[in-house]
Amino acid sequence: MEKYIIAVDMDGTLLNSENRISVRTRNVLQRLIDEGHYVVPATGRTRELIPQEFSVLHGVKWGIVENGCVVWDYDKNEMIWRKTMPKGMVSRILQDVKESGIQGWIAEAYANGIAYSDADAGDFVASVADKNILEKTFVDYFLCRHEFVKDFYNQTELLDQAEKVNIYFDNLDNSRALREKWKNLDDVAVTTSVSGNAEFNAAGVDKGVGLAMLRTKLGIDRMHVIAFGDNENDLEMLEGAGIGVAMGNSKQYVKDAADQVTGDNDHDGVAEFLEKFFDL
């Protein structure tokens, strides 16, 4: 039997609108793991912020996290690949947002697998939740398993260790403007995964790069890689897989980049495709 890598994005893909993995989807993934395939979380989150529901799957050996900045070995509990942001870059980006005069934003930085943010960030998240600007699933995510640091935006030593920084705005236009401003720099890459955010990591690093490194390590041919995603930060992964599958809830440009389209994340789109493909 040929082994496959099955790389699955989390938010908007494996997770439904209630931030849960359905029993059907979980059972399908467990069966494939038991049959010898590699089910790999491929997410913009840190490994610490992958939902607890995913941990009930037994036999997950690898993770592609932080948009490909880190490839994680679960058996050895260590990174086999890590790419940090250029020194001083996170501080420079945050300073740029401060000097722009934009109101209504917060940031988080991922460093060594931990998500850090400012001690006052919770107040902002609560306020935008009250205004229904960001989805409840995001609010739950942000208030869970973060390290909240006093004077976070001036913690240069911490920020210089970051693999990735996320900036969340309460105005979508501000997110688009920031991504547009920074998109052509040689040493940094910017993308988005949820409404109102801008995600920065080192240039040349994305989920597709992380996936390529993992399949090379495992000796898996590209044509035996299936990748599922729904948003801009999944594009390189979908294009780099033998079979790139867009969710039914994806924007049209994501569907156009994929080889196939499955059902949406509230109707077991991942399970639906895998059941048919593997004749389960």
Side-chain angles (χ1 to χ4, degrees):
M1 179 192 69
E2 293 284 356
K3 291 185 177 181
Y4 277 77
I5 292 175
I6 302 160
V8 231
D9 171 54
M10 294 285 113
D11 299 282
T13 300
L14 192 63
L15 300 176
N16 61 24
S17 296
E18 296 181 347
N19 227 24
R20 296 186 178 279
I21 305 170
S22 74
V23 173
R24 175 187 175 190
T25 297
R26 193 164 60 236
N27 288 342
V28 167
L29 294 178
Q30 187 63 64
R31 178 171 174 182
L32 291 172
I33 294 171
D34 293 343
E35 291 180 357
H37 302 291
Y38 300 102
V39 171
V40 178
T43 176
R45 298 178 180 224
T46 70
R47 69 182 186 277
E48 293 293 331
L49 292 175
I50 291 176
Q52 295 290 339
E53 287 195 353
F54 191 83
S55 66
V56 304
L57 293 173
H58 301 291
V60 174
K61 297 181 178 297
W62 309 97
I64 299 166
V65 296
E66 302 181 30
N67 284 341
C69 295
V70 172
V71 179
W72 188 256
D73 181 332
Y74 283 98
D75 286 341
K76 295 182 178 179
N77 198 34
E78 65 182 19
M79 299 180 225
I80 63 167
W81 156 256
R82 179 189 182 215
K83 181 67 173 178
T84 59
M85 296 273 282
K87 189 174 181 179
M89 182 59 71
V90 175
S91 295
R92 181 180 163 193
I93 292 167
L94 295 176
Q95 187 63 29
D96 181 46
V97 181
K98 286 182 184 178
E99 292 176 354
S100 71
I102 293 172
Q103 301 297 312
W105 63 278
I106 52 169
E108 62 176 345
Y110 297 163
N112 296 303
I114 299 173
Y116 295 91
S117 191
D118 190 74
D120 295 330
D123 294 336
F124 172 84
V125 171
S127 70
V128 295
D130 289 341
K131 300 173 187 174
N132 295 317
I133 293 170
L134 292 171
E135 296 179 0
K136 181 181 181 300
T137 52
F138 168 80
V139 176
D140 294 341
Y141 150 83
F142 200 91
L143 296 180
C144 175
R145 287 182 286 165
H146 277 62
E147 293 285 339
F148 293 102
V149 179
K150 186 176 180 180
D151 200 26
F152 164 76
Y153 297 101
N154 293 313
Q155 297 291 337
T156 305
E157 185 175 347
L158 169 62
L159 298 178
D160 280 346
Q161 298 178 50
E163 300 96 24
K164 176 183 168 185
V165 60
N166 292 334
I167 303 175
Y168 300 92
F169 297 91
D170 63 6
N171 183 308
L172 299 184
D173 290 337
N174 291 332
S175 169
R176 293 190 194 101
L178 184 66
R179 298 199 313 271
E180 185 68 23
K181 180 177 181 178
W182 284 80
K183 71 176 184 179
N184 293 321
L185 268 71
D186 292 335
D187 50 1
V188 68
V190 59
T191 186
T192 185
S193 64
V194 298
S195 295
N197 92 324
E199 304 185 7
F200 294 85
N201 50 255
V205 182
D206 51 55
K207 290 185 185 181
V209 169
L211 181 57
M213 291 193 170
L214 179 59
R215 70 174 182 80
T216 299
K217 179 177 178 62
L218 297 177
I220 303 288
D221 185 85
R222 175 177 172 271
M223 296 312 296
H224 289 95
V225 177
I226 304 171
F228 294 87
D230 74 301
N231 217 316
E232 182 177 314
N233 67 330
D234 298 313
L235 290 174
E236 293 86 358
M237 179 175 72
L238 296 179
E239 293 167 353
I243 305 171
V245 185
M247 303 301 292
N249 49 290
S250 305
K251 294 182 172 63
Q252 189 58 48
Y253 67 84
V254 180
K255 295 177 181 177
D256 292 342
D259 300 297
Q260 299 196 40
V261 178
T262 188
D264 65 47
N265 64 321
D266 283 325
H267 294 88
D268 297 311
V270 171
E272 174 189 310
F273 180 88
L274 294 173
E275 286 167 348
K276 292 177 182 176
F277 185 86
F278 289 100
D279 193 25
L280 301 181

